[in-house]
Amino acid sequence: MQLPVAIIILLIALIILALAVYLISTIVELRKIDEGLGAVLDGVAEIATKTAPVNGVLDAINHTLVVGRDLLEGLALKKTGPDAAGLVESCFPGEGQRFQQRVGVRGPIVAIGEEYPRGTATLNALLGVTPAAAAAPAEPAARISVVGARPWE
């Protein structure tokens, strides 16, 4: 056999050996991952079993919330009439159209009063802040400097 042929055969054998080592190490790592996933899946199955009763409670809560929403929407329609979607749109931008779809009303949506960023009207109502007070710039807080005072006291 000639020397160049022997070198080519040796190089091919080294390449095959390198590929075999790489593939064997990949198989070993995949087996480790499989064992780890088996342990994790057992824990996940246990969590799913323990939390299964929660699904019924969540469904009941969601049903109650939908019924409450429907009652409030009916009240809004009764009290404000065709302006109900505008009221909803003023408090929650983008929700006026969905409101109209849910209650089966058609027509233009005209926001009533000022438009607030999403949720701001709700937050202001919870805090008891009027729209004028919310729009007014806040006065800077007085700074009290006491030597040795701790900021958390």
Side-chain angles (χ1 to χ4, degrees), residues 103-121:
V103 297
V105 176
R106 293 180 184 245
I109 300 172
V110 179
I112 298 173
E114 297 184 33
E115 289 190 18
Y116 300 99
R118 186 168 182 86
T120 303

PDB file of all heavy atoms in Angstrom, residues 103-121:
ATOM      1  N   VAL A 103     -73.425  43.654  25.065  1.00  0.00           N
ATOM      2  CA  VAL A 103     -74.815  43.991  25.372  1.00  0.00           C
ATOM      3  C   VAL A 103     -75.683  44.056  24.118  1.00  0.00           C
ATOM      4  O   VAL A 103     -76.890  44.244  24.216  1.00  0.00           O
ATOM      5  CB  VAL A 103     -74.925  45.315  26.167  1.00  0.00           C
ATOM      6  CG1 VAL A 103     -74.256  45.193  27.507  1.00  0.00           C
ATOM      7  CG2 VAL A 103     -74.370  46.487  25.391  1.00  0.00           C
ATOM      8  N   GLY A 104     -75.068  43.921  22.931  1.00  0.00           N
ATOM      9  CA  GLY A 104     -75.846  43.891  21.696  1.00  0.00           C
ATOM     10  C   GLY A 104     -76.343  45.251  21.241  1.00  0.00           C
ATOM     11  O   GLY A 104     -77.415  45.357  20.649  1.00  0.00           O
ATOM     12  N   VAL A 105     -75.566  46.282  21.506  1.00  0.00           N
ATOM     13  CA  VAL A 105     -75.942  47.638  21.114  1.00  0.00           C
ATOM     14  C   VAL A 105     -75.010  48.081  19.997  1.00  0.00           C
ATOM     15  O   VAL A 105     -73.834  47.750  19.987  1.00  0.00           O
ATOM     16  CB  VAL A 105     -75.839  48.602  22.327  1.00  0.00           C
ATOM     17  CG1 VAL A 105     -76.119  50.030  21.926  1.00  0.00           C
ATOM     18  CG2 VAL A 105     -76.761  48.162  23.422  1.00  0.00           C
ATOM     19  N   ARG A 106     -75.552  48.854  19.047  1.00  0.00           N
ATOM     20  CA  ARG A 106     -74.730  49.394  17.971  1.00  0.00           C
ATOM     21  C   ARG A 106     -74.785  50.908  18.017  1.00  0.00           C
ATOM     22  O   ARG A 106     -75.703  51.479  18.568  1.00  0.00           O
ATOM     23  CB  ARG A 106     -75.230  48.902  16.617  1.00  0.00           C
ATOM     24  CG  ARG A 106     -75.053  47.426  16.431  1.00  0.00           C
ATOM     25  CD  ARG A 106     -75.572  47.004  15.067  1.00  0.00           C
ATOM     26  NE  ARG A 106     -75.484  45.578  14.942  1.00  0.00           N
ATOM     27  CZ  ARG A 106     -74.698  44.968  14.079  1.00  0.00           C
ATOM     28  NH1 ARG A 106     -73.962  45.666  13.261  1.00  0.00           N
ATOM     29  NH2 ARG A 106     -74.673  43.656  14.027  1.00  0.00           N
ATOM     30  N   GLY A 107     -73.796  51.515  17.422  1.00  0.00           N
ATOM     31  CA  GLY A 107     -73.776  52.964  17.346  1.00  0.00           C
ATOM     32  C   GLY A 107     -72.400  53.504  17.655  1.00  0.00           C
ATOM     33  O   GLY A 107     -71.490  52.776  18.054  1.00  0.00           O
ATOM     34  N   PRO A 108     -72.262  54.811  17.486  1.00  0.00           N
ATOM     35  CA  PRO A 108     -70.956  55.414  17.747  1.00  0.00           C
ATOM     36  C   PRO A 108     -70.654  55.442  19.246  1.00  0.00           C
ATOM     37  O   PRO A 108     -71.552  55.522  20.074  1.00  0.00           O
ATOM     38  CB  PRO A 108     -71.094  56.837  17.184  1.00  0.00           C
ATOM     39  CG  PRO A 108     -72.557  57.112  17.261  1.00  0.00           C
ATOM     40  CD  PRO A 108     -73.239  55.784  17.036  1.00  0.00           C
ATOM     41  N   ILE A 109     -69.384  55.387  19.544  1.00  0.00           N
ATOM     42  CA  ILE A 109     -68.941  55.455  20.940  1.00  0.00           C
ATOM     43  C   ILE A 109     -68.307  56.821  21.141  1.00  0.00           C
ATOM     44  O   ILE A 109     -67.303  57.142  20.516  1.00  0.00           O
ATOM     45  CB  ILE A 109     -67.926  54.345  21.257  1.00  0.00           C
ATOM     46  CG1 ILE A 109     -68.561  52.988  21.013  1.00  0.00           C
ATOM     47  CG2 ILE A 109     -67.437  54.456  22.684  1.00  0.00           C
ATOM     48  CD1 ILE A 109     -67.599  51.844  21.109  1.00  0.00           C
ATOM     49  N   VAL A 110     -68.915  57.611  21.998  1.00  0.00           N
ATOM     50  CA  VAL A 110     -68.400  58.934  22.298  1.00  0.00           C
ATOM     51  C   VAL A 110     -68.005  58.945  23.766  1.00  0.00           C
ATOM     52  O   VAL A 110     -68.837  58.762  24.654  1.00  0.00           O
ATOM     53  CB  VAL A 110     -69.466  60.022  22.026  1.00  0.00           C
ATOM     54  CG1 VAL A 110     -68.916  61.393  22.373  1.00  0.00           C
ATOM     55  CG2 VAL A 110     -69.925  59.961  20.584  1.00  0.00           C
ATOM     56  N   ALA A 111     -66.707  59.137  24.006  1.00  0.00           N
ATOM     57  CA  ALA A 111     -66.225  59.158  25.386  1.00  0.00           C
ATOM     58  C   ALA A 111     -66.853  60.321  26.135  1.00  0.00           C
ATOM     59  O   ALA A 111     -67.024  61.408  25.594  1.00  0.00           O
ATOM     60  CB  ALA A 111     -64.704  59.258  25.409  1.00  0.00           C
ATOM     61  N   ILE A 112     -67.235  60.076  27.365  1.00  0.00           N
ATOM     62  CA  ILE A 112     -67.883  61.088  28.187  1.00  0.00           C
ATOM     63  C   ILE A 112     -66.842  61.660  29.136  1.00  0.00           C
ATOM     64  O   ILE A 112     -66.164  60.931  29.833  1.00  0.00           O
ATOM     65  CB  ILE A 112     -69.037  60.470  28.991  1.00  0.00           C
ATOM     66  CG1 ILE A 112     -70.073  59.944  28.023  1.00  0.00           C
ATOM     67  CG2 ILE A 112     -69.630  61.454  29.966  1.00  0.00           C
ATOM     68  CD1 ILE A 112     -71.174  59.175  28.662  1.00  0.00           C
ATOM     69  N   GLY A 113     -66.719  62.953  29.157  1.00  0.00           N
ATOM     70  CA  GLY A 113     -65.762  63.573  30.060  1.00  0.00           C
ATOM     71  C   GLY A 113     -64.338  63.344  29.574  1.00  0.00           C
ATOM     72  O   GLY A 113     -64.073  63.189  28.397  1.00  0.00           O
ATOM     73  N   GLU A 114     -63.445  63.318  30.526  1.00  0.00           N
ATOM     74  CA  GLU A 114     -62.042  63.149  30.197  1.00  0.00           C
ATOM     75  C   GLU A 114     -61.719  61.688  29.956  1.00  0.00           C
ATOM     76  O   GLU A 114     -62.340  60.814  30.532  1.00  0.00           O
ATOM     77  CB  GLU A 114     -61.178  63.667  31.346  1.00  0.00           C
ATOM     78  CG  GLU A 114     -61.347  65.144  31.598  1.00  0.00           C
ATOM     79  CD  GLU A 114     -60.402  65.631  32.674  1.00  0.00           C
ATOM     80  OE1 GLU A 114     -59.288  65.099  32.764  1.00  0.00           O
ATOM     81  OE2 GLU A 114     -60.781  66.525  33.419  1.00  0.00           O
ATOM     82  N   GLU A 115     -60.720  61.471  29.109  1.00  0.00           N
ATOM     83  CA  GLU A 115     -60.249  60.107  28.896  1.00  0.00           C
ATOM     84  C   GLU A 115     -59.024  59.907  29.778  1.00  0.00           C
ATOM     85  O   GLU A 115     -58.144  60.754  29.840  1.00  0.00           O
ATOM     86  CB  GLU A 115     -59.902  59.874  27.434  1.00  0.00           C
ATOM     87  CG  GLU A 115     -61.130  59.827  26.557  1.00  0.00           C
ATOM     88  CD  GLU A 115     -60.813  59.369  25.150  1.00  0.00           C
ATOM     89  OE1 GLU A 115     -59.740  58.779  24.949  1.00  0.00           O
ATOM     90  OE2 GLU A 115     -61.643  59.608  24.274  1.00  0.00           O
ATOM     91  N   TYR A 116     -59.009  58.799  30.462  1.00  0.00           N
ATOM     92  CA  TYR A 116     -57.920  58.487  31.366  1.00  0.00           C
ATOM     93  C   TYR A 116     -57.108  57.325  30.817  1.00  0.00           C
ATOM     94  O   TYR A 116     -57.651  56.475  30.116  1.00  0.00           O
ATOM     95  CB  TYR A 116     -58.470  58.080  32.744  1.00  0.00           C
ATOM     96  CG  TYR A 116     -59.282  59.146  33.395  1.00  0.00           C
ATOM     97  CD1 TYR A 116     -60.671  59.107  33.342  1.00  0.00           C
ATOM     98  CD2 TYR A 116     -58.678  60.194  34.063  1.00  0.00           C
ATOM     99  CE1 TYR A 116     -61.438  60.091  33.935  1.00  0.00           C
ATOM    100  CE2 TYR A 116     -59.433  61.185  34.653  1.00  0.00           C
ATOM    101  CZ  TYR A 116     -60.808  61.125  34.589  1.00  0.00           C
ATOM    102  OH  TYR A 116     -61.548  62.103  35.187  1.00  0.00           O
ATOM    103  N   PRO A 117     -55.844  57.268  31.158  1.00  0.00           N
ATOM    104  CA  PRO A 117     -55.090  56.066  30.803  1.00  0.00           C
ATOM    105  C   PRO A 117     -55.756  54.856  31.449  1.00  0.00           C
ATOM    106  O   PRO A 117     -56.415  54.977  32.483  1.00  0.00           O
ATOM    107  CB  PRO A 117     -53.704  56.304  31.396  1.00  0.00           C
ATOM    108  CG  PRO A 117     -53.608  57.771  31.579  1.00  0.00           C
ATOM    109  CD  PRO A 117     -55.009  58.262  31.810  1.00  0.00           C
ATOM    110  N   ARG A 118     -55.584  53.687  30.862  1.00  0.00           N
ATOM    111  CA  ARG A 118     -56.263  52.467  31.305  1.00  0.00           C
ATOM    112  C   ARG A 118     -56.103  52.259  32.809  1.00  0.00           C
ATOM    113  O   ARG A 118     -55.021  52.175  33.327  1.00  0.00           O
ATOM    114  CB  ARG A 118     -55.709  51.278  30.552  1.00  0.00           C
ATOM    115  CG  ARG A 118     -56.450  50.020  30.858  1.00  0.00           C
ATOM    116  CD  ARG A 118     -56.042  48.944  29.870  1.00  0.00           C
ATOM    117  NE  ARG A 118     -56.780  47.739  30.101  1.00  0.00           N
ATOM    118  CZ  ARG A 118     -57.965  47.474  29.597  1.00  0.00           C
ATOM    119  NH1 ARG A 118     -58.532  48.351  28.823  1.00  0.00           N
ATOM    120  NH2 ARG A 118     -58.578  46.349  29.852  1.00  0.00           N
ATOM    121  N   GLY A 119     -57.228  52.192  33.517  1.00  0.00           N
ATOM    122  CA  GLY A 119     -57.235  51.882  34.934  1.00  0.00           C
ATOM    123  C   GLY A 119     -57.084  53.087  35.849  1.00  0.00           C
ATOM    124  O   GLY A 119     -57.286  52.983  37.053  1.00  0.00           O
ATOM    125  N   THR A 120     -56.741  54.250  35.317  1.00  0.00           N
ATOM    126  CA  THR A 120     -56.533  55.424  36.159  1.00  0.00           C
ATOM    127  C   THR A 120     -57.824  55.847  36.840  1.00  0.00           C
ATOM    128  O   THR A 120     -57.821  56.218  38.010  1.00  0.00           O
ATOM    129  CB  THR A 120     -55.960  56.590  35.337  1.00  0.00           C
ATOM    130  OG1 THR A 120     -54.752  56.153  34.725  1.00  0.00           O
ATOM    131  CG2 THR A 120     -55.691  57.796  36.192  1.00  0.00           C
ATOM    132  N   ALA A 121     -58.934  55.797  36.126  1.00  0.00           N
ATOM    133  CA  ALA A 121     -60.213  56.194  36.717  1.00  0.00           C
ATOM    134  C   ALA A 121     -60.565  55.273  37.882  1.00  0.00           C
ATOM    135  O   ALA A 121     -61.038  55.728  38.926  1.00  0.00           O
ATOM    136  CB  ALA A 121     -61.315  56.155  35.667  1.00  0.00           C
TER     137      ALA A 121
END
